[in-house]
Amino acid sequence: MWSGGSMAQTRSIVEPPGLTTNRTPLIEEAQRHGEIFIQQPYELYSEENHRAWRRLFSRMDTRWERYANEHFLKGVHSLCLDPERVPKLEDVNRFLRPLTGFQARPVSGYIPAFLFFDCLRNRTFPTTITIRPSDKLDYLPEPDIFHDVAGHVPMHTDRAFAETLVRFGECAHTAAELAADIRGEQERIRRLTSIIQAMARFFWFTVEFGLMRSKDGLRVYGSGLLSSFGEIEHAIDSAEVQRYPIQIEWAINQPFEIDHYQPLLFIVDSFDHLFSLVEELGEWLKQGKLNHVAPGEPAVNERDLKSFLDRS
Ligand SMILES: [Fe+2]
């Protein structure tokens, strides 16, 4: 026991801590002070961090070729992501901004729901800067820079997808305005909870875990799948997964769990199709059709609710 402690100490002296998930004091301090938007102190990435990126990228590369949709593959190419080193967000943005106006902005971690959607409306993607340890490539409950930059950002190079995210962000504004008109605090909170749940479920089953039709069958466009070595294959090939054409009424009423492979996935025809669905979601919101969705996951926390109430 004693010698183990001693080895760990020696290693921490030899190898700098880097910007590793759940092991970065700088991030914890920012969170303690309520700082959401931060800088990316690039020089702090350790060789261990770059090794994690390199391993993640190299094993995903062949899976992307096989399972990812064409817009994503084009996006990875357009962003000139380096397979060897953790990306510098400034460099990513230099390629991204001229294409759709989107940019990746570093954040310290969790960001309340309204603020997150509002960022999308302003073509900004809140981006985690830490990376998982190189010996834990598979399971990570928190997002990291591989999920955010290699999983999400390549999609933001596509015009129709980018417009979909902006439209989704606008829905959050509509929701906050509608909430302001509801009399009675209890009813306001109940209805807003239902609306946030509906939006979170729609986002989950499309942006995070969506499938798309293509010439050669189904392909993945959801970022949760695009950043998972195991689940990207499971999502397309496993007989255990149910895959259905998306229906808004189903997606917004379907609870989901985040700690295992998804047993149910929804298919869109194209990003134009996805955009039209978000337009429709916005209409449903105005008509009150999101006010009573099925209870269940995801839970809506107080900070998420407050972020909407403070804007209403
Ligand atoms: Fe994500």
Side-chain angles (χ1 to χ4, degrees):
M1 289 298 283
W2 181 85
S3 71
S6 156
M7 278 171 66
Q9 259 179 359
T10 311
R11 199 172 55 186
S12 73
I13 293 165
V14 174
E15 182 128 17
L19 296 173
T20 309
T21 305
N22 292 334
R23 294 185 207 158
T24 304
L26 176 130
I27 296 289
E28 283 152 25
E29 201 171 323
Q31 287 170 345
R32 247 197 325 275
H33 290 103
E35 288 165 29
I36 290 174
F37 297 104
I38 57 173
Q39 300 294 318
Q40 183 188 26
Y42 193 80
E43 65 288 353
L44 295 187
Y45 287 111
S46 63
E47 278 313 306
E48 210 285 309
N49 293 149
H50 292 299
R51 193 158 51 238
W53 176 270
R54 187 158 55 242
R55 285 184 183 165
L56 286 161
F57 202 98
S58 72
R59 65 181 199 159
M60 282 314 291
D61 219 17
T62 47
R63 299 236 152 161
W64 286 336
E65 284 301 326
R66 165 73 187 81
Y67 297 110
N69 78 92
E70 56 180 328
H71 307 282
F72 174 84
L73 295 172
K74 205 170 145 202
V76 170
H77 185 71
S78 313
L79 294 176
C80 302
L81 292 177
D82 184 347
E84 301 292 324
R85 313 291 285 174
V86 175
K88 217 181 254 183
L89 298 189
E90 269 172 46
D91 294 341
V92 172
N93 289 337
R94 203 167 301 137
F95 292 109
L96 175 60
R97 219 181 271 120
L99 296 173
T100 58
F102 256 82
Q103 58 172 330
R105 187 171 178 195
V107 292
S108 62
Y110 166 78
I111 166 164
F114 183 86
L115 192 51
F116 177 79
F117 294 135
D118 192 45
C119 281
L120 298 183
R121 193 178 73 106
N122 292 310
R123 297 177 191 266
T124 297
F125 185 67
T127 304
T128 318
I129 57 166
T130 49
I131 186 160
R132 67 196 83 176
S134 67
D135 58 352
K136 282 207 183 86
L137 299 186
D138 283 326
Y139 179 69
L140 192 78
E142 305 88 357
D144 73 342
I145 194 167
F146 187 77
H147 170 77
D148 280 352
V149 174
H152 279 280
V153 178
M155 309 295 295
H156 305 166
T157 60
D158 183 85
R159 197 172 289 270
F161 189 83
E163 293 309 319
T164 302
L165 291 185
V166 171
R167 190 71 199 87
F168 202 74
E170 286 167 358
C171 286
H173 270 259
T174 307
E177 282 162 21
L178 290 171
D181 292 337
I182 301 167
R183 286 218 194 133
E185 195 189 346
Q186 228 179 340
E187 177 57 12
R188 190 180 309 127
I189 288 174
R190 192 206 60 72
R191 223 183 277 183
L192 200 49
T193 302
S194 174
I195 291 170
I196 297 172
Q197 254 176 338
M199 288 185 67
R201 286 172 180 164
F202 186 89
F203 193 86
W204 179 266
F205 286 113
T206 56
V207 175
E208 292 289 356
F209 284 89
L211 303 180
M212 186 186 288
R213 287 187 207 289
S214 75
K215 291 185 282 290
D216 57 356
L218 292 179
R219 290 228 166 204
V220 161
Y221 75 91
S223 304
L225 298 173
L226 288 164
S227 57
S228 168
F229 180 72
E231 193 165 4
I232 194 170
E233 180 185 52
H234 188 262
I236 299 293
D237 291 341
S238 171
E240 287 166 19
V241 179
Q242 301 179 76
R243 305 169 190 89
Y244 292 106
I246 191 163
Q247 293 170 255
I248 298 178
E249 59 271 47
W250 188 352
I252 63 175
N253 286 292
Q254 176 66 49
F256 61 84
E257 289 165 359
I258 65 168
D259 55 354
H260 52 78
Y261 286 179
Q262 298 300 308
L264 168 65
L265 298 170
F266 293 114
I267 306 160
V268 300
D269 296 332
S270 63
F271 285 147
D272 287 332
H273 179 211
L274 182 61
F275 180 80
S276 71
L277 289 169
V278 175
E279 288 269 273
E280 207 176 335
L281 186 75
E283 289 308 310
W284 283 35
L285 172 63
K286 288 180 201 156
Q287 293 162 15
K289 288 176 164 183
L290 308 188
N291 291 348
H292 299 275
V293 298
E297 294 293 321
V300 175
N301 69 37
E302 289 218 0
R303 284 182 70 191
D304 288 333
L305 269 172
K306 191 171 178 315
S307 68
F308 274 81
L309 291 168
D310 286 351
R311 295 300 292 243
S312 55

